[in-house]
Amino acid sequence: AQSVTQLDSQVPVFEEAPVELRCNYSSSVSVYLFWYVQYPNQGLQLLLKYLSGSTLVKGINGFEAEFNKSQTSFHLRKPSVHISDTAEYFCAVSRLNNAGNMLTFGGGTRLMVKP
Amino acid sequence: EADIYQTPRYLVIGTGKKITLECSQTMGHDKMYWYQQDPGMELHLIHYSYGVNSTEKGDLSSESTVSRIRTEHFPLTLESARPSHTSQYLCASSDAGTGAYEQYFGPGTRLTVT
């Protein structure tokens, strides 16, 4: 069985400061990893994904994440946040070779960017 | 850009009414999903479909039902709405052929049962 833990339910940060949103997963098999963003009253939008290859993944809106297999982590980072980054962020894991493309989501982290 | 649509976006309805939440995608994806999300909470998979005439229950038990008569359409029905059904419902789809595994989400339907 898989699980995804987002260690912080809320992260307040000032505008232009760096931010890291933490995600740990547990799985007995290789996985694919994703970060999604959800703005108020909207669906989820894919920020970035790790499938294979380089452990540092770059996504949209200046975000990046680093896959660490030994620590089973996939933390999301941005060097300088904007007010517009205020949203809910979800980490998700997909089972490898699962024809159903099933995703398991973490509980979400609310990023609150303050002026 | 993903093309997946949900209607209505917001619905307020009385207890006991039958409702259908619509979800359509124009990407030709075989796989479609319904998630339930309470405010500020994680997503829970309630239904999914591998293709036409295929439907399966998800991880979270739900009184809703789904159908998949056409590839592009995956409606969710509640025969008798109750206040406990108040939530946001998100539809998603994915393309098994690319191996990319990501899901594309619609904007959601926020349901309030009074």
Side-chain angles (χ1 to χ4, degrees):
Chain A
Q2 298 170 296
S3 67
V4 179
T5 302
Q6 292 184 240
L7 298 160
D8 306 296
S9 59
Q10 295 186 62
V11 174
V13 63
F14 286 106
E15 193 174 18
E16 298 183 6
V19 70
E20 178 180 81
L21 306 184
R22 297 180 293 167
C23 173
N24 286 90
Y25 69 92
S26 65
S27 177
S28 58
V29 297
S30 297
V31 296
Y32 295 157
L33 294 157
F34 304 84
W35 275 99
Y36 283 87
V37 60
Q38 184 178 33
Y39 298 104
N41 298 316
Q42 294 187 28
L44 276 67
Q45 179 183 1
L46 182 68
L47 271 179
L48 49 79
K49 61 186 177 186
Y50 172 79
L51 305 181
S52 64
S54 173
T55 57
L56 183 63
V57 180
K58 292 191 184 296
I60 62 172
N61 301 341
F63 284 93
E64 63 181 32
E66 185 156 18
F67 171 60
N68 188 318
K69 187 174 182 179
S70 62
Q71 296 186 8
T72 60
S73 68
F74 191 54
H75 301 333
L76 181 70
R77 302 186 184 101
K78 186 169 182 177
S80 176
V81 295
H82 302 289
I83 295 288
S84 59
D85 292 322
T86 295
E88 191 85 20
Y89 292 80
F90 290 94
C91 182
V93 59
S94 173
R95 288 190 290 277
L96 187 65
N97 290 331
N98 183 334
N101 297 359
M102 307 302 283
L103 291 179
T104 300
F105 286 88
T109 298
R110 182 172 298 276
L111 176 63
M112 299 175 294
V113 182
K114 300 179 286 186
Chain B
E1 185 72 24
D3 295 311
I4 181 164
Y5 308 97
Q6 291 186 244
T7 57
R9 290 292 315 278
Y10 303 92
L11 179 62
V12 180
I13 201 162
T15 297
K17 300 291 186 182
K18 177 179 178 178
I19 59 170
T20 296
L21 308 185
E22 302 288 349
C23 175
S24 295
Q25 50 96 3
T26 60
M27 298 170 283
H29 288 170
D30 287 327
K31 296 174 175 49
M32 297 189 73
Y33 314 81
W34 276 103
Y35 293 88
Q36 184 174 342
Q37 182 187 29
D38 291 326
M41 302 295 285
E42 64 197 282
L43 285 76
H44 294 283
L45 181 68
I46 52 175
H47 298 284
Y48 61 98
S49 167
Y50 288 119
V52 171
N53 294 325
S54 144
T55 60
E56 302 284 345
K57 290 192 177 295
D59 305 320
L60 180 68
S61 177
S62 174
E63 294 170 341
S64 59
T65 59
V66 292
S67 62
R68 189 87 183 278
I69 298 172
R70 303 197 313 268
T71 297
E72 63 271 22
H73 195 213
F74 191 41
L76 180 146
T77 298
L78 277 165
E79 291 292 334
S80 179
R82 294 209 298 267
S84 60
H85 297 140
T86 294
S87 189
Q88 171 151 267
Y89 293 84
L90 292 166
C91 181
S93 70
S94 67
D95 180 4
T98 64
Y101 288 85
E102 69 251 43
Q103 294 179 11
Y104 297 90
F105 284 81
T109 294
R110 186 169 295 280
L111 173 65
T112 302
V113 183
T114 60

